[in-house]
Amino acid sequence: MFSDNKKSRGLSSEGLKEQNKIAQGTTITGSIEGKGSFRIEGKVEGTLKTAGKIVVGKTGYIDGEVECENADFEGKFSGKLVVKNMLSLKSTANIEGEVIIGKLSVDPDATFNAKCSMKGGVKTLSDERGRGKTKGEKTA
C-alpha cells in the first residue's frame, strides 16, 4: 500500500521533523533525549535534550534542565534552560532559574525571573573617529 519512499519523504535522515507530545495530565520524571521537536502540555521533571524545538503550552511545566535549538514558552519553567538560538516567551510564560540563549523575545506580561546569558552578538564599540574602544570595552 505504501512504498518506502512515501513513508520516509516527510522525515529527514536524522528525524529532526519528528513531533513528540507530552499531553496534559501526564508527568514524566527522568531524562528525555531526542532529535525531533517536543510539545509539552503536561509536566516534565528532569532533563530534556533535543536538537529540535521545544514548545511548552499554557498547561505545560518543566522542572529541571533543558537543552534545545529553539523554544517557545506559554507555560512554566524552573531550572537551567539552554537554547542555542531563539527563546520566545508568550504573555503567560513564567521562567525562573538560569537561562543561556542566543536570542530572546519576551511578550508583555511574561514573567522572567532568571539569570540570563546571551551567547554571541558581542561587538566592539567604535568612538566618533571610527576607532575601536580600548581593549575589554564591549557591548552586548
Side-chain angles (χ1 to χ4, degrees):
M1 184 170 172
F2 293 104
S3 72
D4 288 336
N5 288 341
K6 288 183 181 179
K7 284 183 182 178
S8 63
R9 189 180 308 168
L11 302 176
S12 69
S13 61
E14 297 179 30
L16 291 177
K17 293 186 179 182
E18 290 288 331
Q19 178 72 34
N20 300 288
K21 183 174 181 181
I22 299 172
Q24 185 175 356
T26 301
T27 299
I28 295 182
T29 303
S31 296
I32 303 169
E33 191 167 333
K35 293 182 181 179
S37 297
F38 284 84
R39 178 156 188 98
I40 315 281
E41 296 291 346
K43 184 175 183 179
V44 174
E45 296 175 337
T47 304
L48 174 58
K49 292 184 181 182
T50 183
K53 181 177 185 175
I54 294 176
V55 176
V56 179
K58 288 182 182 178
T59 60
Y61 176 64
I62 299 175
D63 184 9
E65 293 186 27
V66 171
E67 186 176 324
C68 62
E69 185 67 27
N70 294 293
D72 289 344
F73 275 85
E74 291 182 279
K76 295 181 181 181
F77 176 84
S78 181
K80 183 176 181 182
L81 177 61
V82 179
V83 181
K84 294 177 183 174
N85 194 14
M86 173 67 86
L87 171 61
S88 179
L89 304 179
K90 306 302 181 193
S91 61
T92 56
N94 186 326
I95 308 296
E96 295 183 358
E98 180 182 357
V99 178
I100 301 169
I101 52 173
K103 298 176 187 174
L104 177 64
S105 171
V106 182
D107 283 355
D109 297 326
T111 302
F112 188 70
N113 293 320
K115 175 185 173 190
C116 183
S117 300
M118 292 184 90
K119 300 298 177 185
V122 176
K123 298 178 183 177
T124 302
L125 288 175
S126 296
D127 65 14
E128 294 174 16
R129 293 179 214 105
R131 288 181 264 163
K133 292 279 185 186
T134 60
K135 198 174 196 178
E137 292 181 313
K138 297 190 179 217
T139 185

